[in-house]
Amino acid sequence: MNEWLIKPSHYLPSCIPKFLHPILKKILQPLYFLWRYSADYFRLRHAVKRAVHAFDLIYELLEDVQHEVTFFESPMDIWDAVGLRSVAGISFHDFLDGLGLKRCEELELDKSAHGSYGGFWWIPGCLRSELVTAMTINTYNQDLNQMNGLVGLVAYVPSGGELFSVEGGNYKLMESAIRQATKIYDTSACPKLPVQRIQQHQKRITTVVSGENSMEIFSADESLGNFDIVI
Protein backbone atom coordinates (compact mmCIF):
# COMPACT_ATOMS: atom_id res chain seq x y z
CA MET A 1 0.00 0.00 0.00
CA ASN A 2 1.39 3.38 -0.96
CA GLU A 3 2.82 5.79 1.56
CA TRP A 4 0.28 8.50 0.71
CA LEU A 5 -2.43 6.23 2.11
CA ILE A 6 -0.57 5.13 5.23
CA LYS A 7 0.58 8.62 6.25
CA PRO A 8 -2.00 11.16 5.07
CA SER A 9 -0.95 13.45 7.93
CA HIS A 10 2.02 14.46 5.74
CA TYR A 11 -0.47 16.48 3.69
CA LEU A 12 -1.73 18.49 6.67
CA PRO A 13 -0.55 22.10 6.90
CA SER A 14 2.13 22.75 9.52
CA CYS A 15 -0.06 25.38 11.16
CA ILE A 16 -2.43 22.69 12.44
CA PRO A 17 -1.46 21.49 15.95
CA LYS A 18 -0.11 17.96 15.98
CA PHE A 19 -2.58 16.78 18.61
CA LEU A 20 -5.33 17.32 16.01
CA HIS A 21 -3.59 15.18 13.38
CA PRO A 22 -5.09 11.81 14.52
CA ILE A 23 -8.61 13.27 14.37
CA LEU A 24 -8.11 14.91 10.99
CA LYS A 25 -6.41 11.77 9.71
CA LYS A 26 -9.54 9.73 10.39
CA ILE A 27 -11.58 12.28 8.46
CA LEU A 28 -9.21 12.92 5.56
CA GLN A 29 -8.03 9.38 4.90
CA PRO A 30 -11.36 7.98 3.58
CA LEU A 31 -12.01 11.22 1.67
CA TYR A 32 -8.59 11.09 0.06
CA PHE A 33 -9.09 7.41 -0.76
CA LEU A 34 -12.37 8.14 -2.53
CA TRP A 35 -10.87 11.10 -4.41
CA ARG A 36 -7.90 9.03 -5.56
CA TYR A 37 -9.88 6.02 -6.84
CA SER A 38 -13.33 7.54 -7.41
CA ALA A 39 -15.71 5.33 -9.43
CA ASP A 40 -13.19 2.46 -9.77
CA TYR A 41 -13.59 1.61 -6.09
CA PHE A 42 -17.39 1.48 -6.33
CA ARG A 43 -17.36 -0.53 -9.57
CA LEU A 44 -15.17 -3.25 -8.07
CA ARG A 45 -16.97 -3.21 -4.72
CA HIS A 46 -20.32 -3.68 -6.47
CA ALA A 47 -18.92 -6.58 -8.50
CA VAL A 48 -17.62 -8.24 -5.32
CA LYS A 49 -21.01 -7.93 -3.61
CA ARG A 50 -22.78 -9.47 -6.60
CA ALA A 51 -20.27 -12.35 -6.68
CA VAL A 52 -20.67 -13.00 -2.94
CA HIS A 53 -24.47 -13.00 -3.30
CA ALA A 54 -24.23 -15.48 -6.20
CA PHE A 55 -21.81 -17.69 -4.26
CA ASP A 56 -24.22 -17.82 -1.31
CA LEU A 57 -26.75 -19.50 -3.62
CA ILE A 58 -24.43 -22.50 -3.90
CA TYR A 59 -25.19 -23.54 -0.32
CA GLU A 60 -28.91 -23.60 -1.05
CA LEU A 61 -28.36 -25.72 -4.16
CA LEU A 62 -26.07 -28.21 -2.40
CA GLU A 63 -28.49 -28.62 0.49
CA ASP A 64 -31.28 -29.61 -1.90
CA VAL A 65 -30.81 -33.36 -2.48
CA GLN A 66 -34.39 -34.05 -3.58
CA HIS A 67 -34.18 -32.65 -7.11
CA GLU A 68 -31.94 -33.92 -9.91
CA VAL A 69 -31.36 -30.39 -11.17
CA THR A 70 -29.22 -29.68 -8.08
CA PHE A 71 -26.71 -32.44 -8.90
CA PHE A 72 -23.77 -31.10 -10.91
CA GLU A 73 -21.18 -32.86 -13.02
CA SER A 74 -18.41 -30.28 -12.55
CA PRO A 75 -17.60 -27.04 -10.70
CA MET A 76 -18.14 -25.13 -13.94
CA ASP A 77 -21.74 -26.36 -13.98
CA ILE A 78 -22.20 -24.89 -10.50
CA TRP A 79 -20.73 -21.54 -11.60
CA ASP A 80 -23.12 -21.60 -14.55
CA ALA A 81 -26.11 -22.26 -12.27
CA VAL A 82 -25.37 -19.26 -10.03
CA GLY A 83 -24.28 -16.91 -12.82
CA LEU A 84 -20.51 -16.98 -12.21
CA ARG A 85 -19.40 -19.01 -15.22
CA SER A 86 -18.36 -16.00 -17.31
CA VAL A 87 -16.18 -14.45 -14.59
CA ALA A 88 -14.60 -17.86 -13.89
CA GLY A 89 -13.67 -18.25 -17.56
CA ILE A 90 -11.61 -15.09 -18.11
CA SER A 91 -8.50 -13.59 -16.52
CA PHE A 92 -8.88 -11.12 -13.67
CA HIS A 93 -7.20 -8.49 -15.86
CA ASP A 94 -9.84 -8.92 -18.57
CA PHE A 95 -12.59 -8.90 -15.97
CA LEU A 96 -11.37 -5.56 -14.59
CA ASP A 97 -11.26 -4.23 -18.16
CA GLY A 98 -14.91 -5.22 -18.51
CA LEU A 99 -15.75 -3.29 -15.35
CA GLY A 100 -14.04 -0.23 -16.81
CA LEU A 101 -11.29 0.07 -14.20
CA LYS A 102 -8.41 2.39 -15.04
CA ARG A 103 -5.31 0.66 -16.35
CA CYS A 104 -1.70 1.77 -15.74
CA GLU A 105 0.20 0.28 -18.67
CA GLU A 106 3.52 1.75 -17.57
CA LEU A 107 3.41 -0.59 -14.56
CA GLU A 108 2.58 -3.75 -16.54
CA LEU A 109 5.33 -6.17 -17.49
CA ASP A 110 3.85 -7.16 -20.84
CA LYS A 111 2.71 -3.90 -22.44
CA SER A 112 2.16 -5.52 -25.84
CA ALA A 113 -0.36 -8.07 -24.57
CA HIS A 114 -3.17 -5.55 -24.29
CA GLY A 115 -4.37 -2.54 -26.16
CA SER A 116 -4.29 0.95 -24.79
CA TYR A 117 -6.64 1.42 -21.89
CA GLY A 118 -6.36 4.86 -20.39
CA GLY A 119 -8.04 6.17 -17.31
CA PHE A 120 -9.79 9.45 -16.65
CA TRP A 121 -7.94 12.60 -15.68
CA TRP A 122 -10.10 13.06 -12.57
CA ILE A 123 -8.97 9.69 -11.15
CA PRO A 124 -5.35 10.35 -10.04
CA GLY A 125 -4.69 6.87 -8.63
CA CYS A 126 -4.88 3.40 -10.13
CA LEU A 127 -6.84 0.96 -7.98
CA ARG A 128 -5.83 -1.94 -10.22
CA SER A 129 -2.07 -1.50 -9.81
CA GLU A 130 -1.87 0.11 -6.38
CA LEU A 131 -4.26 -2.08 -4.38
CA VAL A 132 -5.80 -4.96 -6.35
CA THR A 133 -2.47 -6.24 -7.70
CA ALA A 134 -0.95 -6.05 -4.21
CA MET A 135 -3.86 -8.05 -2.75
CA THR A 136 -3.65 -10.82 -5.35
CA ILE A 137 0.12 -11.13 -5.13
CA ASN A 138 -0.05 -11.21 -1.33
CA THR A 139 -2.83 -13.84 -1.35
CA TYR A 140 -1.83 -16.05 -4.31
CA ASN A 141 1.64 -14.84 -5.38
CA GLN A 142 0.19 -14.44 -8.88
CA ASP A 143 -0.31 -11.57 -11.28
CA LEU A 144 -3.76 -10.50 -12.50
CA ASN A 145 -3.20 -12.35 -15.79
CA GLN A 146 -2.38 -15.61 -14.00
CA MET A 147 -5.78 -16.12 -12.35
CA ASN A 148 -9.38 -16.05 -13.43
CA GLY A 149 -11.78 -13.30 -12.50
CA LEU A 150 -13.56 -15.29 -9.80
CA VAL A 151 -10.35 -16.09 -7.93
CA GLY A 152 -9.30 -12.45 -8.18
CA LEU A 153 -12.57 -11.27 -6.66
CA VAL A 154 -12.03 -13.64 -3.73
CA ALA A 155 -8.74 -11.87 -2.96
CA TYR A 156 -10.56 -8.53 -2.86
CA VAL A 157 -13.46 -9.67 -0.64
CA PRO A 158 -11.61 -8.99 2.67
CA SER A 159 -11.53 -5.28 1.83
CA GLY A 160 -15.20 -5.16 2.78
CA GLY A 161 -14.50 -6.43 6.28
CA GLU A 162 -17.33 -8.98 6.14
CA LEU A 163 -15.31 -12.18 6.58
CA PHE A 164 -14.97 -14.49 9.56
CA SER A 165 -12.71 -17.33 10.64
CA VAL A 166 -13.51 -20.74 12.07
CA GLU A 167 -12.77 -21.24 15.77
CA GLY A 168 -9.97 -23.77 16.09
CA GLY A 169 -8.67 -23.23 12.57
CA ASN A 170 -10.09 -22.90 9.06
CA TYR A 171 -8.98 -26.46 8.26
CA LYS A 172 -12.01 -27.66 10.24
CA LEU A 173 -14.19 -26.22 7.49
CA MET A 174 -12.81 -28.79 5.04
CA GLU A 175 -13.22 -31.64 7.52
CA SER A 176 -16.85 -30.64 8.11
CA ALA A 177 -17.48 -30.32 4.37
CA ILE A 178 -16.20 -33.85 3.76
CA ARG A 179 -18.36 -35.31 6.55
CA GLN A 180 -21.47 -33.50 5.33
CA ALA A 181 -20.83 -34.38 1.69
CA THR A 182 -20.37 -38.05 2.58
CA LYS A 183 -23.58 -38.10 4.60
CA ILE A 184 -25.56 -36.37 1.85
CA TYR A 185 -24.16 -38.68 -0.82
CA ASP A 186 -24.88 -41.83 1.21
CA THR A 187 -28.51 -40.81 1.78
CA SER A 188 -29.18 -39.47 -1.74
CA ALA A 189 -30.56 -41.23 -4.80
CA CYS A 190 -27.23 -41.05 -6.64
CA PRO A 191 -26.09 -44.40 -8.10
CA LYS A 192 -23.49 -45.87 -5.75
CA LEU A 193 -20.07 -46.88 -7.09
CA PRO A 194 -17.99 -49.90 -5.99
CA VAL A 195 -15.32 -47.52 -4.65
CA GLN A 196 -15.87 -44.82 -2.03
CA ARG A 197 -16.87 -41.68 -3.91
CA ILE A 198 -15.67 -39.15 -1.32
CA GLN A 199 -12.25 -39.88 0.17
CA GLN A 200 -9.89 -38.16 2.58
CA HIS A 201 -6.13 -38.80 2.46
CA GLN A 202 -3.76 -37.48 5.10
CA LYS A 203 -0.73 -37.60 2.88
CA ARG A 204 1.59 -35.12 1.22
CA ILE A 205 0.45 -34.56 -2.37
CA THR A 206 3.44 -34.32 -4.68
CA THR A 207 1.91 -34.54 -8.16
CA VAL A 208 -1.46 -33.79 -9.73
CA VAL A 209 -2.00 -35.08 -13.27
CA SER A 210 -5.00 -33.36 -14.83
CA GLY A 211 -6.99 -35.20 -17.47
CA GLU A 212 -10.01 -34.18 -19.53
CA ASN A 213 -12.55 -35.27 -16.91
CA SER A 214 -10.57 -36.01 -13.75
CA MET A 215 -7.31 -35.55 -11.85
CA GLU A 216 -4.97 -38.33 -10.71
CA ILE A 217 -3.29 -37.62 -7.38
CA PHE A 218 0.14 -38.94 -6.38
CA SER A 219 1.97 -39.07 -3.08
CA ALA A 220 5.56 -39.68 -4.18
CA ASP A 221 5.22 -42.74 -6.47
CA GLU A 222 1.92 -43.89 -4.98
CA SER A 223 -1.25 -43.14 -6.92
CA LEU A 224 -4.15 -42.20 -4.63
CA GLY A 225 -6.70 -42.49 -7.44
CA ASN A 226 -8.62 -40.35 -9.92
CA PHE A 227 -10.90 -37.60 -8.63
CA ASP A 228 -13.38 -35.11 -10.03
CA ILE A 229 -12.63 -32.45 -7.40
CA VAL A 230 -9.60 -32.06 -5.12
CA ILE A 231 -9.48 -29.82 -2.03
Side-chain angles (χ1 to χ4, degrees), residues 165-224:
S165 60
V166 178
E167 184 176 355
N170 287 343
Y171 74 93
K172 290 190 174 182
L173 183 64
M174 293 298 100
E175 291 185 346
S176 176
I178 291 174
R179 289 196 303 268
Q180 293 183 55
T182 302
K183 181 179 179 180
I184 292 174
Y185 175 74
D186 291 341
T187 58
S188 69
C190 291
K192 301 302 185 288
L193 300 177
V195 296
Q196 187 177 356
R197 183 72 181 273
I198 302 174
Q199 302 179 24
Q200 182 178 10
H201 296 276
Q202 295 183 344
K203 293 187 177 182
R204 181 181 178 87
I205 305 301
T206 56
T207 307
V208 178
V209 180
S210 181
E212 183 176 352
N213 299 314
S214 64
M215 293 170 284
E216 186 174 6
I217 309 301
F218 289 87
S219 177
D221 295 330
E222 178 188 1
S223 175
L224 303 179

Side-chain angles (χ1 to χ4, degrees), residues 47-140:
V48 169
K49 287 185 176 181
R50 283 186 294 147
V52 170
H53 175 71
F55 194 88
D56 287 341
L57 297 177
I58 295 178
Y59 299 104
E60 298 179 15
L61 294 175
L62 296 181
E63 288 177 357
D64 183 359
V65 297
Q66 304 301 322
H67 303 89
E68 292 185 2
V69 71
T70 59
F71 292 91
F72 304 97
E73 295 292 335
S74 68
M76 195 59 73
D77 289 340
I78 298 180
W79 301 141
D80 193 21
V82 299
L84 293 175
R85 185 185 182 98
S86 59
V87 66
I90 60 175
S91 72
F92 195 28
H93 239 324
D94 291 339
F95 177 73
L96 296 179
D97 282 346
L99 291 180
L101 263 67
K102 178 182 177 183
R103 192 164 198 160
C104 303
E105 292 187 348
E106 67 274 9
L107 299 177
E108 296 183 18
L109 297 177
D110 188 2
K111 299 180 178 59
S112 62
H114 306 277
S116 177
Y117 190 91
F120 301 101
W121 62 268
W122 61 82
I123 305 179
C126 186
L127 185 73
R128 185 193 302 239
S129 64
E130 295 176 1
L131 293 183
V132 178
T133 298
M135 288 180 175
T136 55
I137 290 178
N138 180 67
T139 304
Y140 303 111

